[in-house]
Amino acid sequence: MYVAVKGGERAIRKAHALLARTRRGDPQVPEIGIDQIREQLALAVDRVMAEGSLYDPDLAALALKQARGDAIEAIFLLRALRTTLPRFGASVPVDTGAMRVRRRVSATFKDIPGGQILGPTFDYTHRLLDPALATRAASTAPAKTPATKPATTAPKASDVQIAPDTAPSRVTDLLGAEGLMEASPPDTGAEPPDLTREPLSFPADRATRLQNLARGDEGFLLALGYSTQRGYARTHPFVGEIRMGAVKVELFAEEVGFAIPLGEVTLTECQMVNQFHGTDEAPPQFTRGYGLVFGQSERKAMSMALVDRALRWEELGEEKSAPAQDAEFVLSHSDNVQATGFVEHLKLPHYVDFQAELDLVRRLRAEHAERPGGPAQSGDEEELAP
Amino acid sequence: MAREPQPSGRQAMMAVLAQASQTELEGVVERFAPLPAMEHLRPPEIGLCMLRGRIGGEGAPFNLGEATVTRAAVRLNSHVGVSYLLGRAPERARAAALIDALWQDEAARPAVEQALVAIKARIDMRHHEEKAATDATRVEFFTLVRGEDT
């Protein structure tokens, strides 16, 4: 028998009020604006968008603020919000080949058409803390951002040289032209499966796996990718190309009968070039792993490409020997909202469950004590009770 | 902006609207004040668009993740203006739908396109500046000649 107990409401209310005060921190320190988070903690915002699987920098910044900087909590907030919104449709697949690149590097060819463009990168920094950045926010209200100023001062169209479409060609296309690189699976016109509509099931095709990895936890994918490099399903990876920049998004709208341009999103793409020995029928060809992530996140895009390639073991006739190849293991544990939900639910009241366990252990111990030759018991069951 | 047949001309115009700020869009609408009576066929509505990528960049599509989108539709005289924009921006969507309706009116179209020239120029300028800053980080490899051959 158990007795249901109520009475947590007041404590919960007070805890949430305390959370709000704690979130604010020292009131002498100016409150942070979501514009500041969006502009100055942009990579945290990008991570929340990627794993929250919702592209909206302002909402991701708000979520980070509300979550006190806890990325997974912020991701959870975005995932919760998206369930409240209707879906208008699916975009025309984005063309990363036409990306307005802000960074583009290849580790396979030094001289690639379009060149190696470093962009805003931490690479080659010395990883020394910069005291010049250790400033305090001014206590006055921040100046209005100039981004919203009217365009009356904008130059005339004739003054502006419209840059030609100079998106650099893909490194994988250069290899593909020589037949050295396997082709991507062709677009058959079939609708790709959608994990937000159909729950994950196995075997999972590559489109499903990529959707899962694109929203998967960066740390989990990083560790799995790393494990393949250390020999747990080695794939001999080279970074064929990483590119980051703005791509156009278009949505086909029935009411107008054509694809409407919606604007641009920032994406990071990684084309991993991997070794393959060929078969009797097929001459040797490089294989590939693919990563595509919201925002600027090379670590995630690279990890995704490594894991994507490892998961292709069966299709490529490789031996399954490591966790990164196990689709059921990888895809079932990559989602940090699911993972944190199940891990963290352990802290919620399990009083009844535990009471049952407690009774069982006590009964077993009593039976054990009554067995002939069993150890003498002296009422030490009490030690189990809190 | 060239006079192109629909939908490409309309698409190009919408591409500018998609990247214009609220102030810019409202500035365009103001040029046509006072506007005739309009019917809000679809008040601004916030929803989602599933963004798709392609396996390997050019192969079969897959679902990458969603983005917030705001859409609106208005009827102005006999023209139905429609807008779909990334983000949550009801005011921008309303103004963009209105501009789309105005653009479809042959008589108003030149004035709409004229009004968008400055916005297009501002966007192009921003892209140009971004490209210049990015291009400055392009690696210029050079080789060193070692001394022992001389």
Side-chain angles (χ1 to χ4, degrees), chain A residues 48-129:
Chain A
V48 170
M49 293 197 299
E51 295 170 34
S53 203
L54 183 65
Y55 197 100
D56 188 319
D58 286 318
L59 277 181
L62 172 62
L64 272 169
K65 179 176 176 176
Q66 186 174 331
R68 304 180 61 205
D70 181 335
I72 295 182
E73 184 70 23
I75 290 159
F76 200 159
L77 292 170
L78 281 200
R79 292 273 188 94
L81 177 102
R82 73 154 286 282
T83 64
T84 67
L85 295 172
R87 183 176 303 170
F88 298 157
S91 80
V92 176
V94 295
D95 182 3
T96 53
M99 181 184 280
R100 234 180 43 247
V101 296
R102 290 176 53 218
R103 172 166 165 79
R104 189 275 193 129
V105 292
S106 170
T108 50
F109 296 105
K110 178 165 65 71
D111 295 307
I112 42 174
Q116 309 268 356
I117 301 164
L118 301 184
T121 180
F122 294 124
D123 293 354
Y124 316 110
T125 62
H126 293 120
R127 267 76 185 204
L128 297 174
L129 279 173

Side-chain angles (χ1 to χ4, degrees), chain B residues 83 87 133 144:
Chain B
S83 71
L144 296 172

Side-chain angles (χ1 to χ4, degrees), chain A residues 153 222 239 274 282 295 314:
Chain A
T153 57
L222 175 66
V239 169
N274 305 76
E314 198 164 15

Side-chain angles (χ1 to χ4, degrees), chain A residues 220-230 302-303 306-307 324:
Chain A
F220 180 70
L221 298 186
L222 175 66
L224 285 171
Y226 180 42
S227 75
T228 68
Q229 290 181 281
R230 290 194 63 254
M302 293 172 74
S303 302
L306 287 172
V307 176

Side-chain angles (χ1 to χ4, degrees), chain A residues 122-313:
Chain A
F122 294 124
D123 293 354
Y124 316 110
T125 62
H126 293 120
R127 267 76 185 204
L128 297 174
L129 279 173
D130 182 0
L133 291 172
T135 58
R136 289 167 196 276
S139 54
T140 52
K144 281 275 176 220
T145 56
T148 54
K149 73 182 175 198
T152 49
T153 57
K156 293 195 292 290
S158 55
D159 295 345
V160 181
Q161 285 298 315
I162 298 168
D165 187 6
T166 52
S169 51
R170 288 194 185 89
V171 169
T172 44
D173 292 346
L174 304 177
L175 284 167
E178 271 192 77
L180 295 169
M181 169 65 78
E182 64 164 346
S184 294
D187 183 354
T188 59
E191 282 286 296
D194 184 354
L195 287 172
T196 68
R197 299 289 165 95
E198 296 291 330
L200 183 62
S201 63
F202 300 97
D205 66 5
R206 195 161 171 211
T208 302
R209 300 196 303 249
L210 286 171
Q211 183 182 10
N212 176 286
L213 298 178
R215 57 197 257 146
D217 184 78
E218 179 176 313
F220 180 70
L221 298 186
L222 175 66
L224 285 171
Y226 180 42
S227 75
T228 68
Q229 290 181 281
R230 290 194 63 254
Y232 293 88
R234 203 183 284 283
T235 60
H236 304 277
F238 294 91
V239 169
E241 183 177 335
I242 290 170
R243 57 171 64 193
M244 180 277 291
V247 299
K248 292 185 171 68
V249 178
E250 294 183 333
L251 174 70
F252 183 85
E254 295 282 347
E255 60 266 47
V256 295
F258 61 86
I260 292 184
L262 303 186
E264 291 182 334
V265 295
T266 295
L267 300 179
T268 304
E269 179 185 60
C270 174
Q271 301 270 7
M272 206 64 89
V273 177
N274 305 76
Q275 207 175 35
F276 182 48
H277 291 290
T279 62
D280 288 345
E281 299 84 48
Q285 232 182 0
F286 289 110
T287 58
R288 53 212 286 195
Y290 187 66
L292 187 65
V293 183
F294 283 166
Q296 180 179 4
S297 182
E298 233 155 82
R299 185 186 303 121
K300 168 76 182 276
M302 293 172 74
S303 302
M304 178 173 170
L306 287 172
V307 176
D308 171 48
R309 175 59 183 79
L311 289 171
R312 297 181 58 208
W313 65 275

Side-chain angles (χ1 to χ4, degrees), chain A residues 53-56 58-59 82 85-91 93-94 96 100-102 110 114 116-119 148 151 154-155 157 160 162 166 170 184-187 191-194 206-207 210-211 214 249 251 253 255-256 258-265 267 269 271 288 290 292 294, chain B residues 6-7 10-12 14-15 18-19 21 23-24 42 45-71 82-88 100 117-122 124-128 130-131 134-135 137-139 141 143:
Chain A
S53 203
L54 183 65
Y55 197 100
D56 188 319
D58 286 318
L59 277 181
R82 73 154 286 282
L85 295 172
R87 183 176 303 170
F88 298 157
S91 80
V94 295
T96 53
R100 234 180 43 247
V101 296
R102 290 176 53 218
K110 178 165 65 71
Q116 309 268 356
I117 301 164
L118 301 184
T148 54
V160 181
I162 298 168
T166 52
R170 288 194 185 89
S184 294
D187 183 354
E191 282 286 296
D194 184 354
R206 195 161 171 211
L210 286 171
Q211 183 182 10
V249 178
L251 174 70
E255 60 266 47
V256 295
F258 61 86
I260 292 184
L262 303 186
E264 291 182 334
V265 295
L267 300 179
E269 179 185 60
Q271 301 270 7
R288 53 212 286 195
Y290 187 66
L292 187 65
F294 283 166
Chain B
Q6 290 191 34
R10 194 170 164 205
Q11 257 175 326
M14 285 176 160
Q19 295 193 66
S21 70
T23 316
E24 286 172 334
R42 182 192 286 147
E45 181 188 9
I46 295 169
L48 300 170
C49 171
M50 174 57 87
L51 304 190
R52 286 184 176 160
R54 290 186 180 280
I55 299 171
E58 80 285 336
F62 69 96
N63 290 307
L64 176 64
E66 290 163 311
T68 52
V69 171
T70 310
R71 68 179 178 185
V82 174
S83 71
Y84 281 80
L85 305 171
L86 282 178
R88 293 156 304 121
D100 180 43
V117 166
I119 300 173
K120 176 87 165 64
R122 196 266 306 159
D124 288 343
M125 181 63 92
R126 185 171 62 77
H127 290 175
H128 184 73
E130 184 189 282
K131 186 171 180 345
T134 301
D135 283 352
T137 69
R138 179 178 282 112
V139 180
F141 289 106
T143 48

